[in-house]
Amino acid sequence: YQKHPHRTSEAAVQIEDDRTGMNVETLRRAFLDNLYYIQGKDLQLATPYDLYMALSYTVRDRLLQRWLHTQEVYLQQDVRSVCYLSAEYLLGRQLGNALINVGLYEQARAFLKEMNLDLRDLMEQEIEPGLGNGGLGRLAACFMDSLASLEIPAIGYGIRYEFGIFAQSIRDGWQVEQPDRWLRYGNPWEIPRPEYLVEVKFGGHTEGYIDPAGQYRVSWVNDRSVLGTPYDYPVPGYRNDTVNTLRLWSARATEDFNFQVFDSGDFARAVADKTYSENITKVLYPNDNTYQGRELRLEQQYFFVSCSLQDIIRRYLSYHSDFESFADKVTLQINDTHPSIGIAELMRLLVDEYLVGWDKAWQITRRVFAYTNHTLLSEALERWPVALFGNLLPRHLEIIYEINRRFLDEVRERFPEDEGRIARLSLIQEGSQKQVRMANLACVGSHAINGVAQLHTELLKKDVLADFYALWPEKFTNVTNGVTPRRFLLLSNPKLALLLSERIGQDWLKDLDQIGRIESLVADPAFRSAWQQIKDDNKRDLAEYILQFNQIEVDPDSLFDIQVKRFHEYKRQLLLAFFIVTLYNRLKRQPDLEIVPRTFIFGGKSAPGYAMAKLIIKFINSVARVVNSDPQVSRHLKVVFLANYNVSLAQRIYPACDLSEQISTAGKEASGTSNMKFALNGALTIGTLDGANIEIREKVGPDNFFLFGLTAQQVYDLKARGYNPRDYYDSNAELREVVDRISAGGFSGGDTNLFRPLLDSLLYRDDYLVFADYQAYIDCQEQVSQAFRDRERWLTMSILNSARMGYFSSDRSIREYSRNIWQSEPVPVEPESPAIRPA
Ligand code: GL4
């Protein structure tokens, strides 16, 4: 109310109307109105989904006013804006977030309660937009939230996939994928903007010509094109008047029918052609940290990047008559290499379409682009076969060759006769199948290159991008990832959020460093018992969920030991599974053994084509079956696999965790972000010196972090010496017992073949050093058990973890990007003046 004086009842101008009013009574009226006139229901007939929709429209109305006003302010002030290009946005549910950010959560809860309705039940109705795979897509969503919360003019560009990340179910222990028809029941959170339609060309060939001024130019004669329609999503800042935009593109056929074909009688083909174009934005590729060199994927990338750049240029030219200040008004961040074709596309637009000279165009391009690398895994480096690339984007291939020619000339001048270096830096990988290296294009075409955690950035400089670092050390910078405390504390852990706010006020929501102030309460008995109570409540809630969805009864008092993330060998879910089998073996050997009771919880999806990851899921479910059904063992241990891990489920899981598993092979996880969300919610971490774990450990203190395993350097050295996993098997009796039990069919009903590929990969390669880290991990887990026995000590560590996580807010990350890469400033949006409101 403070921020909206004209909306209070005392204000001189009374505008407490049903579309904008913020008080409980107005909201109630608006809600019933929307239920009736949009859903066509009254309270008697309404389904829970109708109620969700009615409330969503009520909130949306309030966002729209701020949204339009924000955009108007941006336009009037001709602001510098951040354009974030990302193939993925893993947004999570919108309703709760919108209510919180716009400041209506309590009011909504209140009026619904009067009607005997529960806000949380309504929120549960929403199907989340799963337009991303994992950490990379979720990071983009956190960044959008922080940009708006920090009042930075920004627009996110991406793809409106008709099918998001597949829904996972578990059948007989195996992952089964179902299409995610998330738009099935409509979507109140998007506004189609068909008036900003753009055309995107594909295929064909190029032709040279001499323009009237005698200048040689090139034109691209495409053989097909597709239309892009933007769908806008409001991105409200936390408790301010900023509402930024996320603009997602959807592909449409250029003409409803191809009349030529239609006239010749082939109706079916005409319709099929149309469907073909619309395929571009049909489905999200479900790979995380690996790429699939499919033509459709390149089409998706080019499609959304071209739409976005055309849109950016259109908006810019509505206020400017040339490109002189383009780089002052626009900065483009590319989220991994997925949008890196944008570098060639901006060159094409400037040089071919707007007739800007090459040198000038290149200067602009390099000034506007900045590139974030998100992975060190070589299988994730995008490379497109030149032939495929040239067929789809013939003009871009020419432009890339020209960029490369000029670039390599420069390199030759600085490093004469260093052909090895030239070959490594080239945008084209030579060989039997020539390829375009997108990471090289991104490095050459950007003024800034960043990794997402300190170690990651160091490894980029030393290894993956070493040649570029040698060339341009000044381009490299680190921006450690962060997470939004609004969604991942306030929304997902309301009880803990309330405790914090009662004790230290609400500033932590805008300035997470303030959470450090609870450190002075760590010895306060009332605070401690409230903290413990909340963790217990959250664990009980998750136990209920587990009972409902997995029909497994777990002990809320046991240690909740959780690993949730995409399945990948480098993340080493197998290491945790081996620990569980180790405990199982010990209990079978010695039934009266006193161990700390634990509930192991796994969740995560495997790429549908990643056979080994799918087998690991099957293995974990098989271990779960054996452990849970053994009366002797299941007194102490339970193993749970929660199906269809997504943002909504994550929000339930983080608050209920005691121990967060962050156990990737050192040097493989670029950052990780669930590590941050768990610790923020008071979980302790068991982890390797990998990604952001290192910085988390520094901040929370080594005494409050369970560290184990080889360092990145040791991993490197061990592999260089020649790593033989067999040695560990031979010399470690407990490890051998684990392997032998699996091998003998102990978790596969006697079938000795089922898990053979898994064991063979460990015994003969073990690329991710599961065996090498096994003993250190088991020992470290023993320390965890000791610590958990001392509940007071554990409680202190839990509080200190949350208290010291202030640094890992995505607000801090965004401030760093703004200062060090974007040079962008906040532009506060004042509440709209009553005078300029429509009557
Ligand atoms: C990832 C990294 O694997 C992950 O460590 C990081 O936290 C995330 C965001 O920077 O990006 N890279 C890819 S690819 N998927 C990811 O989740």
Side-chain angles (χ1 to χ4, degrees), residues 134-136 139 288-289 336 338 374-375 380 452 481 570-571 669-673:
L136 174 142
L139 186 79
D288 183 79
N289 265 296
D336 217 280
H338 317 148
H374 290 272
T375 179
V452 292
N481 285 166
Y570 84 80
K571 295 178 191 280
E669 189 71 273
S671 161
T673 41

Side-chain angles (χ1 to χ4, degrees), residues 617-719:
I617 290 178
K618 169 67 176 170
F619 176 64
I620 288 166
N621 281 296
S622 305
V623 170
R625 254 248 294 272
V626 170
V627 167
N628 298 341
S629 62
D630 185 321
Q632 194 182 46
V633 177
S634 65
R635 284 191 304 134
H636 306 281
L637 306 179
K638 289 277 165 49
V639 182
V640 176
F641 189 101
L642 290 175
N644 201 35
Y645 179 62
N646 60 10
V647 178
S648 311
L649 186 50
Q651 289 174 205
R652 288 176 179 269
I653 290 173
Y654 300 136
C657 179
D658 294 309
L659 186 68
S660 153
E661 297 276 350
Q662 306 298 338
I663 58 181
S664 52
T665 316
K668 296 292 177 190
E669 189 71 273
S671 161
T673 41
S674 78
N675 46 6
M676 301 169 189
K677 292 171 265 199
F678 276 119
L680 181 60
N681 283 277
L684 306 195
T685 305
I686 182 167
T688 47
L689 286 176
D690 200 16
N693 294 354
I694 297 173
E695 290 153 80
I696 292 174
R697 178 168 172 270
E698 270 163 23
K699 297 285 180 193
V700 305
D703 294 346
N704 303 301
F705 188 106
F706 298 99
L707 176 70
F708 77 98
L710 299 173
T711 63
Q713 185 64 47
Q714 289 168 333
V715 167
Y716 182 88
D717 294 343
L718 177 56
K719 289 204 167 178

Side-chain angles (χ1 to χ4, degrees), residues 670-782:
S671 161
T673 41
S674 78
N675 46 6
M676 301 169 189
K677 292 171 265 199
F678 276 119
L680 181 60
N681 283 277
L684 306 195
T685 305
I686 182 167
T688 47
L689 286 176
D690 200 16
N693 294 354
I694 297 173
E695 290 153 80
I696 292 174
R697 178 168 172 270
E698 270 163 23
K699 297 285 180 193
V700 305
D703 294 346
N704 303 301
F705 188 106
F706 298 99
L707 176 70
F708 77 98
L710 299 173
T711 63
Q713 185 64 47
Q714 289 168 333
V715 167
Y716 182 88
D717 294 343
L718 177 56
K719 289 204 167 178
R721 278 203 308 276
Y723 170 56
N724 186 4
R726 188 84 207 189
D727 298 343
Y728 295 82
Y729 172 84
D730 289 337
S731 63
N732 187 322
E734 267 202 311
L735 174 60
R736 198 163 54 244
E737 205 187 339
V738 171
V739 173
D740 291 350
R741 191 183 283 271
I742 301 166
S743 185
F747 301 99
S748 40
D751 180 346
T752 55
N753 285 323
L754 182 59
F755 297 122
R756 198 74 251 163
L758 203 149
L759 294 176
D760 283 349
S761 91
L762 292 172
L763 284 163
Y764 300 113
R765 292 184 303 278
D766 194 15
D767 289 333
Y768 301 104
L769 307 191
V770 173
F771 283 11
D773 271 343
Y774 169 81
Q775 193 56 50
Y777 182 59
I778 301 294
D779 294 345
C780 190
Q781 285 285 19
E782 185 49 41

Side-chain angles (χ1 to χ4, degrees), residues 61-257:
D61 285 341
R62 274 118 194 112
L63 287 179
L64 274 168
Q65 178 199 26
R66 290 167 178 78
W67 195 6
L68 291 174
H69 181 56
T70 301
Q71 301 313 313
E72 187 181 275
V73 168
Y74 288 173
L75 208 65
Q76 273 172 4
Q77 299 189 20
D78 190 20
V79 297
R80 172 170 173 80
S81 49
V82 177
C83 303
Y84 197 80
L85 299 183
S86 178
E88 303 187 12
Y89 291 90
L90 196 45
L91 296 173
R93 289 181 178 140
Q94 297 294 291
L95 175 58
N97 185 247
L99 281 167
I100 277 177
N101 282 16
V102 84
L104 284 173
Y105 192 90
E106 285 310 318
Q107 288 90 319
R109 201 164 74 154
F111 86 76
L112 288 170
K113 197 168 170 207
E114 280 173 26
M115 303 165 76
N116 257 327
L117 296 169
D118 183 72
L119 172 57
R120 291 244 155 200
D121 290 347
L122 263 60
M123 281 160 45
E124 288 287 311
Q125 293 298 311
E126 181 173 351
I127 304 180
E128 72 167 63
L131 309 183
N133 275 288
L136 174 142
R138 182 55 234 177
L139 186 79
C142 283
F143 281 2
M144 291 307 294
D145 181 76
S146 286
L147 282 161
S149 297
L150 294 172
E151 306 183 310
I152 297 171
I155 176 163
Y157 283 107
I159 300 174
R160 179 180 178 271
Y161 300 105
E162 206 176 313
F163 296 88
I165 187 67
F166 63 86
Q168 176 198 55
S169 56
I170 302 296
R171 257 184 249 153
D172 187 30
W174 295 96
Q175 166 173 300
V176 178
E177 301 97 20
Q178 285 107 16
D180 165 47
R181 295 167 51 207
W182 71 290
L183 292 164
R184 190 168 29 178
Y185 301 120
N187 178 5
W189 301 106
E190 65 181 17
I191 296 196
R193 305 278 191 201
E195 69 275 26
Y196 300 133
L197 190 91
V198 296
E199 185 183 346
V200 178
K201 304 196 258 185
F202 289 103
H205 62 278
T206 63
E207 286 173 4
Y209 70 100
I210 307 291
D211 77 4
Q215 178 80 38
Y216 178 78
R217 299 199 175 277
V218 178
S219 80
W220 175 15
V221 185
N222 59 308
D223 62 12
R224 60 203 164 95
S225 62
V226 174
L227 298 176
T229 311
Y231 286 72
D232 285 353
Y233 291 67
V235 183
Y238 177 68
R239 299 287 194 120
N240 58 30
D241 281 82
T242 296
V243 179
N244 284 338
T245 303
L246 174 61
R247 179 162 282 182
L248 302 182
W249 297 97
S250 178
R252 274 217 286 130
T254 35
E255 286 149 84
D256 279 338
F257 289 99

